Amino acid sequence: MSKHIEPLRGVHDVLPAQVPGWQLLERAVREIMLAYGYEELRVPIIEQTQLFKRSIGDFTDIVEKEMFSFLDRGEDHITLRPEATAGVVRSVISNGLLREGRLRVWCMGPMFRRERPQAGRFRQFHQVDVESFGFAGPDVDAEVILLSARIFRLLGLSRLKLTLNSLGTPASRARHREQLVTYFRSHESRLDEDSRRRLEANPLRILDSKNPDMQELIAGSPRVLDSLDAESRAHFDGLCEHLNAAGLDYEINPLLVRGLDYYTHTVFEWVTDLLGAQSTVCGGGRYDGLVAQLGGAPTPGIGWAMGQERVILMLEKLGIAAPRQHAQVYLVLVGAAAEHAGLALAERLRDEVRGLSIQTNLGGGNFKTQFKRADKSGADFALVLGEDEVARGVAAIKPLRREAAQEECALEKLSERMAQLLGL
Ligand code: ATP
Ligand code: MG
């Protein structure tokens, strides 16, 4: 026999027992997006490599070392999307969705990054993604942040903190950049290899370093907030006022820069102390230059991405249980006549009772075995059909999860009775 095939490193199955947690999150996301008038957009998982290089930036972790890229038949350079914003921007440009200048969309799905797998960090992971185009003021910054807060609240998540910063306009970023280069150059011997490489090309990236040995140096670096021009300051203050008015707590973190190049003005992250080193659950910011950079008409934009695995891990750590996925009714069929009638009976019940979920016993077995399976299935009721019941045109209804007597019901009254018992 050949050896079985293992999954790829950092890539996971979501098992039936885990799916309810995912569905809980997905339902919360759909509900809240609707509550804010955001429409779902579905974008491809593969795109031209160029798209990510041009948007995320050459000296970012993602483009430098994390992309899964390949040459297809020696012709096309293709990359599995490492994040969603670039694809969404590409899509809204190529489909002309920005003709009216404004658009509020979201999407959800798998992303791929060749990282070192560890708790909360995978090579295939999932993100919920929100993008809002065409609004230049800080009101939309506040809106997307409030939207994320509402998802967390609906899920019952605690131990989350919102952190904010502003990178300012490209002009104030450029001023800060010069100060950073001067600062880090004067401490060049303390820079690690990555940071030395980024010093000239993209010094802001040094602030995003995860290397513990670099943190003290980074903490002493010039603050981007101190270089903000009046326009950037007004935008940031506007956002803070909106959040204050909405009663949402936040903390300003002047060292927050985020790992992608396209951000301007607002950047923010939701962080938790529950997940060790992988503390960021959701991150985002404003990207006013990105649409034009990718060939569209100049359009401001802002968005965020939420790591679904990290949210699920938080749900587990906080003991927030999702309802198990199982049928309400298990149909016990003993004997040839009952087996013969069983599938058709289940079909009829599903036809007549909207929302009824019923799992049919397959492959025979005596009463004892089938009741064991019924119990294991998680169903609330066993619906029992034996030779005797078939002959008399009835079924027995046996509650499995509470002390209540078994009852008998004529087959033609069964839909009505089941609907009543299950509140359907
Ligand atoms: P990190 O600093 O943890 O590497 P990042 O800044 O690279 O995160 P983003 O690109 O901002 O992450 O992605 C948004 C969110 O997606 C993160 O806050 C995190 O919750 C999640 N995420 C990112 N990379 C991974 C990964 N490899 N595995 C699981 N979740 C991830
Ligand atoms: Mg990363």
Side-chain angles (χ1 to χ4, degrees):
M1 222 172 59
S2 61
K3 201 168 165 285
H4 73 277
I5 296 174
E6 296 287 346
L8 292 168
R9 235 161 79 78
V11 171
H12 294 277
D13 303 301
V14 180
L15 301 178
Q18 299 166 321
V19 165
W22 285 79
Q23 291 182 340
L24 185 77
L25 170 56
E26 289 158 12
R27 272 197 303 275
V29 167
R30 287 179 204 286
E31 179 181 332
I32 300 304
M33 295 302 172
L34 201 60
Y36 284 77
Y38 281 62
E39 293 179 292
E40 185 177 357
L41 168 71
R42 301 188 182 189
V43 291
I45 285 171
I46 52 175
E47 296 273 4
Q48 292 192 45
T49 299
Q50 208 46 34
L51 171 67
F52 302 111
K53 288 202 167 159
R54 264 173 62 186
S55 56
I56 297 170
D58 280 334
F59 292 89
T60 57
D61 279 349
I62 294 180
V63 171
E64 271 188 342
K65 53 193 181 197
E66 294 176 358
M67 296 206 299
F68 283 98
S69 299
F70 61 97
L71 191 59
D72 183 40
R73 304 202 172 214
E75 286 172 12
D76 299 316
H77 291 273
I78 290 177
T79 294
L80 298 183
R81 62 181 186 192
E83 57 107 47
T85 305
V88 170
V89 172
R90 198 265 316 131
S91 170
V92 303
I93 297 170
S94 37
N95 293 293
L97 299 184
L98 289 177
R99 268 194 293 267
E100 284 168 22
R102 290 153 180 227
L103 186 74
R104 284 181 262 192
V105 291
W106 66 278
C107 65
M108 176 156 64
M111 307 293 156
F112 304 85
R113 297 184 194 176
R114 190 191 294 282
E115 303 203 60
R116 192 169 68 78
Q118 49 197 296
R121 192 176 291 287
F122 313 101
R123 290 187 166 181
Q124 175 175 337
F125 62 100
H126 298 74
Q127 285 182 340
V128 178
D129 190 74
V130 164
E131 313 291 349
S132 220
F133 298 96
F135 306 96
D139 48 357
V140 71
D141 304 30
E143 177 175 271
V144 296
I145 291 174
L146 289 167
L147 191 161
S148 62
R150 192 171 288 276
I151 294 176
F152 293 137
R153 233 172 16 248
L154 181 62
L155 289 169
L157 291 179
S158 53
R159 310 267 295 265
L160 275 166
K161 192 171 69 181
L162 172 63
T163 59
L164 295 183
N165 194 18
S166 173
L167 304 179
T169 56
S172 65
R173 257 182 86 156
R175 256 197 315 282
H176 176 240
R177 183 200 146 98
E178 273 168 36
Q179 295 169 359
L180 277 183
V181 174
T182 311
Y183 172 80
F184 284 122
R185 199 172 279 143
S186 69
H187 296 93
E188 202 159 347
S189 60
R190 291 169 66 193
L191 294 178
D192 63 12
E193 199 193 308
D194 269 348
S195 304
R196 216 163 282 166
R197 199 154 32 81
R198 287 168 180 178
L199 180 59
E200 296 300 332
N202 196 341
L204 199 66
R205 291 274 65 78
I206 299 178
L207 302 186
D208 204 38
S209 164
K210 304 273 188 318
N211 183 350
D213 298 338
M214 292 280 303
Q215 297 311 310
E216 198 189 320
L217 186 63
I218 290 171
S221 67
R223 301 295 164 93
V224 61
L225 277 178
D226 297 334
S227 339
L228 291 190
D229 50 31
E231 178 198 341
S232 307
R233 188 82 241 172
H235 188 99
F236 192 55
D237 291 345
L239 167 61
C240 294
E241 280 161 27
H242 281 297
L243 295 179
N244 293 340
L248 189 67
D249 288 337
Y250 57 87
E251 209 171 80
I252 293 171
N253 174 3
L255 292 172
L256 178 64
V257 293
R258 312 242 334 107
L260 304 93
D261 270 359
Y262 48 60
Y263 291 113
T264 52
H265 291 294
T266 309
V267 286
F268 60 92
E269 286 188 350
W270 284 97
V271 292
T272 179
D273 60 341
L274 279 172
L275 301 182
Q278 275 53 258
S279 57
T280 307
V281 182
C282 175
R286 180 168 274 280
Y287 48 80
D288 289 345
L290 186 60
V291 177
Q293 195 180 315
L294 291 177
T299 311
I302 181 164
W304 53 249
M306 185 182 289
Q308 290 180 250
E309 279 79 0
R310 294 188 191 173
V311 174
I312 305 282
L313 282 168
M314 285 191 75
L315 289 170
E316 285 167 8
K317 295 241 169 178
L318 291 167
I320 299 171
R324 239 186 89 181
Q325 39 169 8
H326 59 69
Q328 300 157 313
V329 179
Y330 190 94
L331 183 55
V332 170
L333 301 168
V334 181
E339 278 183 33
H340 187 73
L343 283 184
L345 173 64
E347 287 300 314
R348 176 164 75 77
L349 292 174
R350 292 189 195 101
D351 283 342
E352 291 174 1
V353 186
R354 183 87 199 276
L356 174 74
S357 63
I358 175 162
Q359 188 173 58
T360 307
N361 187 79
L362 297 176
N366 60 26
F367 278 109
K368 193 169 163 218
T369 337
Q370 293 200 33
F371 274 116
K372 261 197 206 147
R373 290 180 195 148
D375 196 47
K376 223 179 134 204
S377 78
D380 298 311
F381 293 94
L383 198 57
V384 188
L385 214 58
E387 301 284 349
D388 172 53
E389 283 81 7
V390 175
R392 292 192 296 120
V394 296
I397 305 172
K398 186 178 183 329
L400 296 172
R401 311 287 150 202
R402 56 192 163 88
E403 289 301 322
Q406 176 166 328
E407 61 181 272
E408 203 169 84
C409 180
L411 288 180
E412 67 272 14
K413 290 259 159 60
L414 198 53
S415 298
E416 208 179 315
R417 183 61 185 140
M418 290 315 298
Q420 201 175 34
L421 283 170
L422 293 164
L424 296 170

